[in-house]
């Protein structure tokens, strides 16, 4: 399921030319099984996993967006 989320902590090293910033809203894929949000940086294609209520906060569930 797609979600809007805010990054609250970066727990890994960012690759060069990363567009990831703290406090900014992004659209990612929520995985309920482990309460995580997956997101791919569109600039450098780095894959990220954020943990809801730990390294990110989900703002809104977007049920109308397909996987």
């Amino acid at each position: 399921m797609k979600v809007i989320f805010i990054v609250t902590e970066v727990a890994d090293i960012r690759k060069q030319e990363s567009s990831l910033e703290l406090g900014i809203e992004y659209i990612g894929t929520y995985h309920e099984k482990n309460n995580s949000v997956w997101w791919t940086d569109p600039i450098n294609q780095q894959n990220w996993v954020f943990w809801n209520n730990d390294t990110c906060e989900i703002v809104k569930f977007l049920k109308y967006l397909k996987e």
Side-chain angles (χ1 to χ4, degrees):
M1 173 181 299
K2 295 291 186 182
V3 295
I4 297 174
F5 69 100
I6 296 174
V7 177
T8 58
E9 180 182 341
V10 176
D12 201 355
I13 297 171
R14 289 180 250 199
K15 290 183 181 177
Q16 191 171 8
E17 299 181 18
S18 176
S19 65
L20 180 66
E21 295 184 42
L22 294 177
I24 302 295
E25 290 185 354
Y26 297 97
I27 295 176
T29 304
Y30 177 65
H31 295 269
E32 186 175 6
K33 185 176 181 179
N34 63 3
N35 200 31
S36 67
V37 177
W38 296 7
W39 178 76
T40 301
D41 189 321
I43 303 298
N44 65 13
Q45 300 304 305
Q46 183 175 1
N47 293 315
W48 290 90
V49 177
F50 300 99
W51 309 101
N52 188 32
N53 297 320
D54 184 25
T55 56
C56 79
E57 293 178 13
I58 293 176
V59 175
K60 185 176 183 179
F61 288 87
L62 301 172
K63 296 181 182 184
Y64 59 88
L65 289 179
K66 303 257 180 184
E67 296 296 320

